Amino acid sequence: MIIYPDGMGSNKGSEHISVYLAISRTSFLPAGWEVNAIFTFFVFNQLCDNYLSVRGKMRRFQPIKSLWGLPKFLSHRTFKEASNGYLADDKCVFGAEVFVVQRQAISECLSMVKSNDSFKREWRICNFSNLGEDWFSEEFTVGDYKWKLWLYPKGDVKNKGRNISIFLCSVDAKDFDRHQKVKANCNICLKDQINGGCKKLSYCIWFSTTRVNWGFPGFMPLTELHDQKKGYLVNDCIVVEVELEGVFKHSVKSLS
C-alpha cells in the first residue's frame, strides 16, 4: 500500500490524499506474470471506532502496470476535520483489503446468510452503586451465536466519572477465522421506571476477531442517570433492555 498525502501525479496539489496498491518484489515473479485483484481502502475513525471504506474496481496488475489505486481517495478538508476522527494527535490509520481473482474462477467464495432470530430481554440490575468497575450479563443466543451485555456503571476508561457505558459483546467472535463476521442490528434501552419510556440508542455493526464488542461509551451522563426525576435509577436499580435482530453471517471459503 502506498499513500501520497498531497496527491500523486496530475492530482498532486489537488488537496486530496491518493492511495495505491502495488505488487512488490516483482523481480521474483515468473515472466509474463499477471494478477487480477479487487481491493478496498480504509481510513479509521478514531472517535467512533469504525472505518470509512472505498472499494476499487477489479484491476489487472502486470509488468507494464503494477500500481493501481484511487487518486482522490479523501479530501484534505474531510481528513483534517476533527469531528470525523481520521486525524487525532497527528496520527492516522489507513488499511487495505485485497481479494485475488484467478483467471478461471474467484479463489475465494463469499456467502452471507440472514438469521430470522430475534431477541428482546431486559435486565433489572440492583445494588447498582456497589457493582464495581464493570458488570456482565449471562450469555444468550441469537442466530446460533452467543452474546452478552457489558456495562460500566461509572464509565469506561475514557468516560470514567462522566457517563454510564453500555456494550454488546459477541462471545464467539474471538474464535472466528479471519474471514468470518456476524452483523447485528441492536437496540439498547435504559428504562425510565417512573414516567415510562426509555433512553434508546441503536446501531448496526459487523462483529469479527478485531471487533468483539460494540456499543456506547457515553450512553448517558451520570448526572442524568442519578437525577431522581428522570426515573432511570430507582432504589439503586436500573433496567436495561436489549433488542437484537437481523443477524447476518458472513464467511469466505477457498474454492481450491
Side-chain angles (χ1 to χ4, degrees), residues 8-68:
M8 176 193 178
S10 61
N11 289 284
K12 190 174 182 64
S14 65
E15 298 187 348
H16 280 78
I17 296 172
S18 301
V19 289
Y20 289 86
L21 193 66
I23 296 284
S24 62
R25 304 180 68 184
T26 55
S27 59
F28 292 90
L29 297 176
W33 65 268
E34 181 182 287
V35 178
N36 296 315
I38 302 171
F39 51 86
T40 302
F41 292 115
F42 305 87
V43 60
F44 184 54
N45 183 329
Q46 301 174 64
L47 296 179
C48 299
D49 194 28
N50 58 24
Y51 293 86
L52 167 70
S53 62
V54 179
R55 185 172 184 174
K57 298 178 180 179
M58 187 176 76
R59 297 298 188 184
R60 179 172 298 172
F61 293 79
Q62 50 191 334
I64 60 172
K65 181 67 173 178
S66 61
L67 180 77
W68 288 99

Side-chain angles (χ1 to χ4, degrees), residues 83-185:
S83 62
N84 290 331
Y86 303 133
L87 184 66
D89 297 326
D90 204 31
K91 296 178 181 178
C92 57
V93 180
F94 286 84
E97 183 178 47
V98 183
F99 289 91
V100 174
V101 182
Q102 303 291 357
R103 292 186 181 183
Q104 298 299 323
I106 299 177
S107 62
E108 293 179 323
C109 179
L110 169 67
S111 63
M112 187 179 295
V113 179
K114 180 180 180 181
S115 167
N116 292 320
D117 290 356
S118 61
F119 175 91
K120 181 186 284 189
R121 173 159 176 196
E122 67 177 39
W123 286 267
R124 184 175 179 82
I125 306 169
C126 292
N127 199 24
F128 182 80
S129 59
N130 296 313
L131 284 181
E133 184 176 349
D134 61 354
W135 173 90
F136 286 96
S137 73
E138 71 277 13
E139 295 179 2
F140 54 92
T141 301
V142 185
D144 297 327
Y145 292 93
K146 294 179 180 179
W147 310 83
K148 60 184 176 181
L149 186 67
W150 185 18
L151 184 147
Y152 286 87
K154 298 179 178 63
D156 64 1
V157 174
K158 295 183 179 180
N159 289 270
K160 190 172 292 294
R162 296 187 293 113
N163 297 286
I164 180 175
S165 305
I166 306 178
F167 303 88
L168 178 70
C169 301
S170 169
V171 177
D172 304 296
K174 66 182 185 301
D175 299 317
F176 286 173
D177 62 45
R178 65 189 182 92
H179 290 305
Q180 190 175 3
K181 300 177 184 179
V182 175
K183 185 179 183 181
N185 298 312

